[in-house]
Amino acid sequence: MSDIKVSIVIPTMTLQLVKKCIQSLITYTDLNENNVEIIIIANGADIALKDCINEFKSQNVPIRLVWFDKPLGAVVALNEGIKESKGEFVLLFNDDCEILWSEKNYWLNTLLKPFENNDKMACTGPFRMI
């Protein structure tokens, strides 16, 4: 069994969006404590995305890049990310999403909580904190 608990799959074509998205994940998630991996599916993205991901890697962010030269479309890109995932749970994330201010791990623990002691739970969804 994998040591990865959560795989966060993010398809993208836009460096600026995904960079802010990743930064919010880093800020509001203890990536090591939760055994989280971030999988970026670049589908038709600018080559500069590779440098951005390498920069995050150099900061010990558990991030991987899966590269496609041409746009796949969101659904195909998500499916490619799911294939690459190693986590017990797979979290599908849009590149234009950002975690809002909260205590570290609050957002992730809230999404995982319904799975505790409930073997019939199949999925949970997002919420908005104000």
Side-chain angles (χ1 to χ4, degrees), residues 3 10 13 17 21-22 24 27 39 45 47 57 62 68 74 77 80-81 84-85 89 91-92 95 109-110 115 122-123:
D3 290 337
I10 309 170
M13 296 174 70
L17 289 177
C21 175
I22 295 166
S24 77
T27 301
I39 303 169
I47 196 75
K57 282 183 182 181
F68 293 92
E80 291 299 326
E84 290 289 324
S85 68
F89 298 97
L91 195 156
L92 306 178
D95 65 354
N109 291 337
T110 301
F115 293 100
C123 68

Side-chain angles (χ1 to χ4, degrees), residues 4 31-32 35-39 56-57 60-64:
I4 303 294
L31 298 171
N32 295 321
N35 300 320
V36 174
E37 69 174 346
I38 301 170
I39 303 169
F56 283 122
K57 282 183 182 181
N60 295 317
V61 173
I63 192 166
R64 289 190 287 138

Side-chain angles (χ1 to χ4, degrees), residues 60-111:
N60 295 317
V61 173
I63 192 166
R64 289 190 287 138
L65 177 64
V66 180
W67 189 267
F68 293 92
D69 288 328
K70 295 185 180 175
L72 304 174
V75 173
V76 174
L78 286 169
N79 285 330
E80 291 299 326
I82 292 167
K83 288 180 199 174
E84 290 289 324
S85 68
K86 296 179 181 166
E88 177 183 356
F89 298 97
V90 177
L91 195 156
L92 306 178
F93 219 73
N94 289 339
D95 65 354
D96 62 349
C97 291
E98 292 180 49
I99 305 300
L100 300 176
W101 183 92
S102 63
E103 292 182 26
K104 269 206 189 244
N105 300 328
Y106 178 78
W107 74 277
L108 186 57
N109 291 337
T110 301
L111 287 173

Side-chain angles (χ1 to χ4, degrees), residues 22 26 38 40 49-66:
I22 295 166
I26 293 167
I38 301 170
I40 305 299
L49 179 61
K50 289 183 178 183
D51 292 333
C52 174
I53 299 305
N54 286 332
E55 178 63 28
F56 283 122
K57 282 183 182 181
S58 74
Q59 299 168 20
N60 295 317
V61 173
I63 192 166
R64 289 190 287 138
L65 177 64
V66 180

